[in-house]
Amino acid sequence: MKHHYKFYSLNALSLTLAVFSGQPCAADNEPAPEMVVTATRVEREVFNTPQAVTVLDDLAVQQANAGTTPDILSGAEGVLIQKTNTGGGSPFIRGLTGKQVLILVDGVRVNNSYYRFGPHQYLNTLDPNLVERIEVVRGPTSVLYGSDALAGVINVITRKRADFSGARGADGLAVLHGASADESLAGRLQVEGNINQLGYIGGISGKRFNSLEGGGDVGEQRPTAYDELDGDLKLNYRLAGGGELIFAYQYNRQFDVPKTSEVTLGDKLKFNYEPQLRSLGYLEYRGRHDEAALVSDVKLNVSFNRQKEGEEIIKVSTPTLETREITDVKTVGATSQFSSKLGRSHRLIYGFDYYRDLFDTRMTLTDLTTGTATAMTPGTPDGAKYESWGVYLQDEVRFTDRFETILGARYAHFKAEGAIGINQLNLSDGEATGSINALYRLAPRWNLVGGVAQGYRAPSMEDFFGRVDFISEIPNTQLTPEHSLNKEIGVKYYSPRTSGDFYLFHATYDDLIDRVTVSPGVQQRQNIQRALIKGAEFGLKHAFSERWSVAGNLSYTWGEDRDTEQPLRRIPPLNGSLHVRYAPHERTWYEVYSLFADRQDRLAPGDLSDPRIPVGGTPGYGTLNFKAGFQPRQGQDLLVSLENLTDVKYKSHGSGVYAPGFNLAVTWRLAFQ
């Protein structure tokens, strides 16, 4: 299906030439520049940020018409979503995924030291109804955020009350979402308002996903069905002088989520994540002072994050025996962030973060014929502890009106304790990382950007013990951190009608953790791999008029093991998206778009043995989709999507399930007072 890639690549190239050679129409009201917080920890225009970033604002999130949070990111620049199961959705950024991509919620770390090796499902434990915007920083951000940010950071920013125009206000919202391919149905009830300076927003969501129908001759895929229940509350109190106090709580519970590939492609009769539970609560203070003050901005946050995951497994070889393993990780966190303006040329961002994981684990083997349950040794130590802290400093230096740099440094320390039998873990280690990013204004609308950044990922509890069974995989308590060095250069363009960027990146990785066969049939994780990942990213948005606009992006990634010169595992193919939008007036819009990817047949040895990847590689694809939005009356919104109109059989590289075939998705929102 390579012709799909060629067709859309030519379209994207033609679009680029047309946009940059043509003159945009005059705008009556110049749109405000797009802003980003995650890249530098303070608000900054995307155009004037030297890092590569992808921003999905509140309008993009609302109009995505997505049933899950990973689906909101589908087609975003520099991000590819892989799905081992319908309850998953693992983002790939610059060739990496899983625990090598850091996920934040409102700036609070969601990753813990149990995140599994390779693709995982944790982004899907965030209710899409909470999301106001998503910011993605592409490239290592270990200086600001510590471990796990080797490939980048995804910061999911949730909604809060913003309207304080009246002394009292109260609003309600009802949302229904359904899709035909999996016969899913989701609903949400929400209340929002304020009492003087205290704002509140809260709601409950329920979802039911049935078996997913794939494209072409795939048919119904089983097992893929699961249920979900969500609840949330957010309070924000506006303080005198521009400060704010925020309390937030989120609860997500998914029921009997099947890991589809283990059943359809593996040796399991059953593999369910039950329970799958995530809860997050935090209290945050934000203070803002005059820039002339020694400290102009303050942010203090304390958080409690709980992730409880169960695995219920029945093997084909032993159909009367079921293993049930529970891993309950409770994380306490505390962060502080400050900024200081030093004259007209320096702004310092500095702070401290601390996180501590405590493990509660247990495992049983149940005889299904008798109901007898026998306690077993869990793969991760019960009572294990994992602690990390770090201090960081970032200096934004403006040398001239045209040239500025952002220098950063961090020292981080981690400590891990736990034991299973004779396997004792008592490790303490530290890491120092640095980065430099620069921006040069070539012309009023053109910026040249680039940088060099170190990244690291400390080995996690899951790395040390890894759900091991002590038969086919044994622990390694001597692992050390993974390291990376990323170099990139790019160009950004911005005008009232057009924005775009183009990046080239080159990253080397040392001490990557991978499985090694230590004896026949027995593996262990070791720091053995050196890798090279390089590529290019391109994104463009252009408004021909107030009614017509286009957007598109392309991402190419190439990965290699530096020792064996073999391809690196799970590297995505060339992929991207193209959107054409028509909005005749503010209450109606229409969009035709395509998601596409080239064939990936450059496979690592691990890919060749991966049952999720077809023999010869993952075929390329190009989908045709249509989406529209209407406001039948004030306070009502209706979104309708016709996805995969040609019913193409496809899946993203490494996925365990095929993407939906022809799919009708509808979202209806009713706001009331």
Side-chain angles (χ1 to χ4, degrees), residues 108 249 279-282 301-306 329-333:
V108 178
Y249 178 77
S279 64
L280 170 66
Y282 70 80
N301 183 292
V302 291
S303 62
F304 178 79
N305 184 22
R306 182 187 185 190
V329 184
K330 300 179 180 70
T331 304
V332 176

Side-chain angles (χ1 to χ4, degrees), residues 614-655:
V615 176
T618 303
Y621 61 85
T623 67
L624 180 62
N625 313 274
F626 172 79
K627 187 161 51 176
F630 311 95
Q631 285 187 330
R633 62 184 61 181
Q634 189 67 28
Q636 288 192 36
D637 286 284
L638 181 65
L639 300 175
V640 179
S641 300
L642 299 175
E643 300 170 354
N644 197 0
L645 284 164
T646 55
D647 199 35
V648 173
K649 175 184 177 181
Y650 78 100
K651 62 179 178 178
S652 58
H653 184 55
S655 291

